[in-house]
Amino acid sequence: MPKKGAKKGGAGKQAGMTEEERLLYMQQRAQAEDEMAKRKEDMLTQFLKDKLQKEERNSAVNLHKLTQQWRAVLRQTRAAELRSDIVVLSQTFERVLDRKDSVIKCLVCDLSEAEQQSAQALRSHLECVDCLLALQKGRLTSLEQQWNSGLEGLSYEFNSEREQILSQHQQECAYLEDVTFAMEQFYMEVDGEARQDYQSTRDDIKNRNIEEKHALRIQLEGTVEGLWRQFQQALRSYNEATEDRHIAFEALRTRDQRSAQEIDTQMRRLQKMQDSISALRSRLNSSQKESEGAARGLRAAREEVTLQARQLKAQLSRARAAERNQLTNLTVHSNAAAKNLQGIITKGERLLRLAEMCRKLETEYEKVLPFYTSSLTAEEESQERANTMEPPSEELAQAMLDYLVLERFWQRYNKVLLERLCLERERGALTQENQQLRILLRQYLDGISVSDEILRHRNPLLMVSRPTLAVQPTADAQRKRHTVIEAAHVVQRTL
């Protein structure tokens, strides 16, 4: 419907157009129709191309599915054929293998029987030989024991006789010094004869043993030869009995050789493969050896480094130990020196305090002239000064020069020491005098005092008379009576 309207509208337009416009319009319209036709053809070709590509894809997919299904069918048929072939081949292989197993079992049984027979024969032979050897060893041991017992008896007798002779010789040497040489010759002859007897008896016993050994060897050789003949006869009978089996064994051996050839071909192939494997292994071994050599070198270097490190550690530990010992010694000595110095300081402080105390007790004269005047003459002082100017020849004199500064101190010290000695002597004299005075005073006090203890001893100032019975005092006695006053009362009154 719109097309018809369009055509009608075009016809109306064409009626109002000129000829040139109509031609131009017709050309434009023809171009537009051509373009529309080209577009339609292009769209149709594109649609057909797309459809063709889709069909090609579908055909390729279907062809692939068909090939897959056909392959599955072929595989199934081929697998069935191969399974049937494998079953047939396995049956034939098992049949051949069973036949060969039966043959091998027969051969093994025959071989085991033959080995048992030979082992039994060898066992019986070895038992006989062992019995003979045991008998011979027992006899030899008995003969050896007899010989050893005889030898021990002879040696014991010889040693006992020799010890007796030596003891007798030692006992008689004390009082037979004049005939020692003759006795020594006699004993040497006796010793030689005894040795000759011993050697002769030993040779006789050895010869008898050798003869008996030869006789036993001959007897054993005869028995061994008899046993060897019996063994050869048994071997011949065994070979005659097993001749048929030997022929069958030869036939089987030919078959075995054929199979061995086949095995040889296979083994050659295996050998080639093994050669390649060995070449690879040799390469691997060479690379391993190289790596081991490198590792060994690294280990050696590591061991050297560790050894050097250990040595350095040991040296460091030794140095540390030595330094620690030195430090301990230094600390011990420093502590001892500090203690000594502290003692010296305390002593010096004590000396200073004592000097200060002594300074307070000094007299005016000592404060003015603290040092005593020398008692030497001018010549002696000049000689002493010249001696001090000379260089010292001994170490003690050289050491004394370091203490010249303390000369004034020693002067004052010696002065004080002399004064102290003088005071001690004076004190001793005064104490002695005091003791004497005390004794005299005690005697005086004992003389003037009256007490039981004093009356027991002799008193020069008191006389005590004993009273007598029935005696009346006379007039003279009454005139001579004295008045006695207590000494303590006198002392109190006088003091």
Side-chain angles (χ1 to χ4, degrees):
M1 293 300 288
K3 291 181 180 180
K4 290 181 179 180
K7 288 181 180 179
K8 288 181 180 181
K13 288 179 180 181
Q14 288 179 3
M17 292 182 181
T18 59
E19 189 66 25
E20 292 177 355
E21 291 176 351
R22 192 181 297 116
L23 288 172
L24 183 61
Y25 177 76
M26 291 298 289
Q27 289 177 358
Q28 290 178 354
R29 188 175 179 181
Q31 288 177 358
E33 289 176 354
D34 291 333
E35 289 177 359
M36 289 294 291
K38 285 181 180 179
R39 287 179 180 175
K40 289 179 179 179
E41 288 176 358
D42 292 331
M43 289 175 66
L44 183 61
T45 54
Q46 185 68 32
F47 175 75
L48 290 175
K49 284 180 180 179
D50 294 335
K51 191 174 182 181
L52 180 62
Q53 288 178 359
K54 190 175 182 181
E55 290 293 331
E56 286 177 355
R57 285 196 298 271
N58 292 327
S59 62
V61 170
N62 293 326
L63 182 62
H64 182 68
K65 289 180 179 179
L66 289 172
T67 53
Q68 291 290 333
Q69 292 176 0
W70 180 245
R71 284 177 182 175
V73 172
L74 289 175
R75 284 172 184 168
Q76 290 177 359
T77 55
R78 185 62 179 168
E81 291 175 358
L82 289 172
R83 287 194 188 95
S84 62
D85 293 335
I86 288 167
V87 169
V88 172
L89 289 172
S90 64
Q91 290 176 358
T92 55
F93 177 73
E94 288 176 357
R95 197 164 45 250
V96 172
L97 185 63
D98 292 333
R99 193 182 299 115
K100 287 191 177 290
D101 286 337
S102 62
V103 172
I104 289 167
K105 286 179 181 178
C106 293
L107 291 173
V108 168
C109 291
D110 295 335
L111 185 61
S112 63
E113 289 177 358
E115 286 179 352
Q116 288 177 1
Q117 291 177 2
S118 63
Q120 188 174 1
L122 181 62
R123 196 180 299 112
S124 61
H125 174 67
L126 290 173
E127 286 177 356
C128 294
V129 172
D130 290 334
C131 291
L132 292 172
L133 287 172
L135 290 171
Q136 181 65 20
K137 285 181 180 178
R139 190 168 182 182
L140 286 172
T141 52
S142 63
L143 291 171
E144 188 175 2
Q145 288 177 0
Q146 291 176 4
W147 184 75
N148 288 325
S149 62
L151 181 62
E152 287 177 356
L154 289 172
S155 62
Y156 179 77
E157 290 176 359
F158 174 74
N159 289 324
S160 62
E161 187 178 359
R162 188 168 180 274
E163 287 177 357
Q164 290 176 1
I165 291 167
L166 289 172
S167 63
Q168 186 177 2
H169 175 69
Q170 288 177 0
Q171 290 175 2
E172 292 178 355
C173 279
Y175 60 91
L176 293 176
E177 292 180 356
D178 297 332
V179 291
T180 52
F181 182 72
M183 291 299 289
E184 285 178 358
Q185 288 183 352
F186 174 73
Y187 285 122
M188 287 173 67
E189 290 175 0
V190 171
D191 192 6
E193 289 176 358
R195 286 182 181 277
Q196 288 177 2
D197 293 337
Y198 171 71
Q199 291 293 334
S200 63
T201 53
R202 185 179 176 184
D203 293 334
D204 292 336
I205 292 167
K206 189 183 289 184
N207 292 326
R208 283 200 300 272
N209 288 328
I210 291 167
E211 289 175 359
E212 289 177 357
K213 192 184 287 185
H214 282 300
L216 289 170
R217 186 179 292 172
I218 291 164
Q219 185 179 359
L220 288 171
E221 286 177 356
T223 55
V224 168
E225 286 177 359
L227 291 171
W228 178 255
R229 284 194 296 271
Q230 291 177 5
F231 178 71
Q232 291 294 330
Q233 187 177 0
L235 184 62
R236 282 195 298 272
S237 64
Y238 171 73
N239 288 327
E240 289 175 358
T242 59
E243 187 174 0
D244 297 332
R245 293 179 180 177
H246 186 68
I247 292 166
F249 177 72
E250 290 292 334
L252 291 171
R253 190 171 65 182
T254 55
R255 291 180 185 177
D256 192 15
Q257 287 178 357
R258 292 174 187 172
S259 62
Q261 288 178 359
E262 293 178 0
I263 291 167
D264 192 11
T265 55
Q266 297 295 329
M267 289 298 291
R268 287 176 183 173
R269 292 178 184 176
L270 290 172
Q271 187 66 33
K272 289 180 181 178
M273 295 174 73
Q274 286 179 357
D275 291 336
S276 62
I277 289 167
S278 62
L280 293 172
R281 284 181 179 175
S282 63
R283 291 178 185 175
L284 182 61
N285 290 324
S286 63
S287 62
Q288 286 179 354
K289 287 179 181 178
E290 290 176 358
S291 63
E292 286 177 358
R296 199 179 294 110
L298 291 172
R299 287 195 201 95
R302 188 183 66 184
E303 288 177 357
E304 290 179 357
V305 171
T306 52
L307 182 61
Q308 291 178 0
R310 288 176 184 172
Q311 291 177 357
L312 290 172
K313 285 181 180 178
Q315 291 178 1
L316 184 61
S317 63
R318 288 195 295 271
R320 285 179 179 175
E323 290 176 356
R324 193 178 294 109
N325 292 325
Q326 290 179 0
L327 183 61
T328 52
N329 293 325
L330 182 61
T331 53
V332 169
H333 291 302
S334 63
N335 289 327
K339 289 178 181 178
N340 291 327
L341 292 173
Q342 190 65 33
I344 291 167
I345 289 167
T346 53
K347 192 183 288 185
E349 291 176 353
R350 184 168 172 271
L351 288 172
L352 290 173
R353 286 196 300 272
L354 292 172
E356 190 67 25
M357 292 170 66
C358 293
R359 183 71 176 174
K360 293 178 181 179
L361 298 174
E362 286 180 354
T363 60
E364 294 294 333
Y365 179 77
E366 289 176 349
K367 289 179 181 180
V368 175
L369 294 174
F371 305 106
Y372 61 89
T373 58
S374 179
S375 61
L376 299 175
T377 60
E379 294 179 356
E380 291 176 350
E381 287 180 357
S382 62
Q383 188 176 359
E384 183 68 23
R385 197 177 296 108
N387 291 327
T388 54
M389 293 298 290
E390 292 180 359
S393 61
E394 295 181 358
E395 295 180 359
L396 183 60
Q398 182 67 33
M400 288 175 68
L401 289 175
D402 299 331
Y403 298 99
L404 290 175
V405 181
L406 300 173
E407 187 175 0
R408 293 291 184 182
F409 170 77
W410 288 116
Q411 286 181 1
R412 294 192 68 180
Y413 177 77
N414 291 328
K415 180 182 178 182
V416 172
L417 185 61
L418 291 172
E419 288 178 355
R420 178 172 170 273
L421 291 173
C422 292
L423 291 171
E424 284 180 354
R425 288 184 180 179
E426 187 175 357
R427 181 183 178 183
L430 290 173
T431 52
Q432 189 175 3
E433 186 178 357
N434 190 9
Q435 286 177 1
Q436 290 177 0
L437 292 172
R438 283 175 182 274
I439 291 167
L440 293 173
L441 181 61
R442 190 180 296 113
Q443 288 177 359
Y444 176 75
L445 291 174
D446 291 338
I448 64 175
S449 64
V450 178
S451 63
D452 295 334
E453 187 178 357
I454 293 168
L455 293 173
R456 292 193 190 98
H457 301 286
R458 296 180 64 186
N459 195 338
L461 300 177
L462 295 175
M463 293 294 292
V464 179
S465 63
R466 293 181 180 180
T468 58
L469 294 172
V471 175
Q472 294 293 327
T474 59
D476 296 330
Q478 289 179 357
R479 283 193 298 268
K480 291 181 180 179
R481 184 178 298 170
H482 299 284
T483 303
V484 178
I485 300 170
E486 192 176 356
H489 180 71
V490 174
V491 171
Q492 289 177 1
R493 293 295 181 180
T494 55
L495 294 174

